[in-house]
Every structure is written in C-alpha cells, then in structure tokens.
C-alpha cells in the first residue's frame, strides 16, 4: 500500500495524471478546464525539471547531520557496531558481487568499510532483504566486502529487513541496545533512518554518504529541464512519504 501511494505522488505520475485529466475534460467538452489543466501540467513539468524546487527539497533533508570525519571516528569506541543499510542490488550471476550492487549500495558499503578500518575492533553489519531475488542485499554486500579485503569474522548479515524500520528492529532483536551503533546511509535518507532507530530504542551515530548536493568548487547550474532534477524530486518525495507513513504507524 505504501509503495502504491508513494508512486502516485511522484512527480512524473502527477504530470501524467494532469495530462490524462486534461484529455478527459476535452473529450467531454470542457475545453476551458482542459486548457487550464494543460497549462498546469506544463508549469508542473518546469517546476520539477529545473533547479530551484528540486534543490530546495534536497537541501531540506541533506546536511542535517555532519559528515563523519576521521577525528570524530577516532573518538568513538573501538568495539562499536556499524550497520550499512540496504541500497539496492541485482542477483545477475554473470556479474561480480560489486557489480551486482547499485551505485547507492556501493557508496554506503564503501563508507562503512572506511569507518570499519579506522576502528579495528568494530563489527560491520550488512542489511537488506531478498525481495524477488535469489540473493539478499545483505549477502551481496557481504560478498563485496570480502572482495574488498574485509575479514569475514568481523561481519554479520541481516537478511530479513525490507525497510528502514525493520532494519532498526532487526538490529535490536539480534544485538540489543548496549553498543554504540553507527548507521551508514545516504545523506538524504539519514533523518528518517535516525528517527526509526530512535523509535527502536537506539540513539545512533549518523554516518552520511552519497550526498546529492556537494559544495566546494561550484559548477555552473544548468537551467534547462533535466531528468536529473526530476530524480532529485523523486528521492525527496520518497523520503517525505516514508516519514509520513511512519507517523501514521505504517511499517
């Protein structure tokens, strides 16, 4: 239900719904209403495909938690746990484990391994369910970590969780609440992740990665409509929809 409702409020489905409504009103002779809806659809497309609104939506969710620096990591207990949240995968057996992971998952795993290597006594916990695949996300993350030289004795997998709330609950079920826990996920996903782990009884240390908007040497922003900006809106809407669903008690 959550996935269906979320898909309905995504930017492109809204655009298509407006066009379909415009066509419907045109066919029943309501041409003025149809014309107004076409203008609305065109305005909506410009809003979601040019920088101002997409960047504002992303900024409202990113940079809430600072990037976990080397200095901050060294101040943490050496025996802490590091959980890498699932980020998408394929079970294409013709590919190596690292190439079965989505770019999102690779970014999360790389950050988790970076922290793990700075804390030799830590445990790397890899999460993510199977879905319709033969292999779980957790197992593909595990196999990729092995390729990157991580010792299998320092890792655990959580193959049951299908979403962030379940990842938090499954962690508590398996490891309790006593250890310091570092949560690794996308910067834009971190506010929801922290909330879910706090609901489960843990106040985690956020380790953000995969930042969408990066600062520094600024590049010229293109003001032409782009699928890149539509994707930014989709990610932000997905996060806000997830937060709303959690507030309503959904799992």
């Amino acid at each position: 239900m959550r996935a269906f409702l979320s898909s309905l409020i995504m930017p492109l489905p809204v655009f298509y719904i407006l066009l379909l409504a415009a066509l419907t009103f045109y066919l029943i002779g309501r041409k003025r209403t149809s014309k107004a809806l076409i203008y609305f659809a065109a305005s909506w497309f410009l809003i979601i495909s040019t920088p101002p609104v997409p960047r504002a939506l992303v900024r409202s969710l990113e940079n809430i938690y600072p990037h976990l620096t080397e200095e901050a990591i060294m101040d943490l207990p050496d025996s802490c746990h590091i959980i890498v949240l699932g980020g998408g995968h394929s079970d294409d057996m013709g590919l190596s484990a690292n190439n079965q992971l989505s770019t999102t998952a690779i970014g999360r795993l790389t950050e988790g391994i970076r922290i793990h290597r700075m804390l030799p006594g830590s445990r790397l916990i890899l999460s993510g369910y199977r879905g319709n695949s033969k292999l779980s996300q957790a197992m593909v993350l595990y196999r990729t970590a092995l390729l990157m030289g991580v010792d299998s004795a320092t890792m655990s997998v959580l193959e049951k969780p299908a979403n962030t709330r379940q990842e938090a609950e499954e962690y508590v079920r398996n490891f309790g609440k006593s250890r310091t826990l570092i949560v690794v996920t996308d910067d834009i996903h971190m506010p929801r992740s922290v909330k879910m782990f706090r609901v489960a009884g843990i106040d985690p240390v956020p380790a953000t990665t995969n930042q969408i908007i990066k600062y520094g040497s600024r590049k010229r922003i293109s003001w032409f409509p782009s699928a890149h900006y539509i994707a930014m809106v989709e990610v932000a809407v997905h996060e806000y929809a997830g937060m709303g669903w959690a507030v309503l008690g959904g799992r």
Side-chain angles (χ1 to χ4, degrees), residues 84-102:
V84 177
L85 303 188
H89 77 297
S90 163
D91 59 358
D92 186 341
M93 299 305 177
L95 299 175
S96 59
N98 58 297
N99 285 306
Q100 289 176 339
L101 291 175
S102 68

Side-chain angles (χ1 to χ4, degrees), residues 11 14-19 22 34-50 225 230:
V14 170
F15 174 69
Y16 294 137
I17 289 170
L18 289 171
L19 289 181
S34 175
K35 186 176 180 180
L37 285 170
I38 289 174
Y39 283 136
F40 190 17
S43 300
W44 175 253
F45 183 79
L46 287 175
I47 288 170
I48 64 174
S49 64
T50 51
I230 296 175

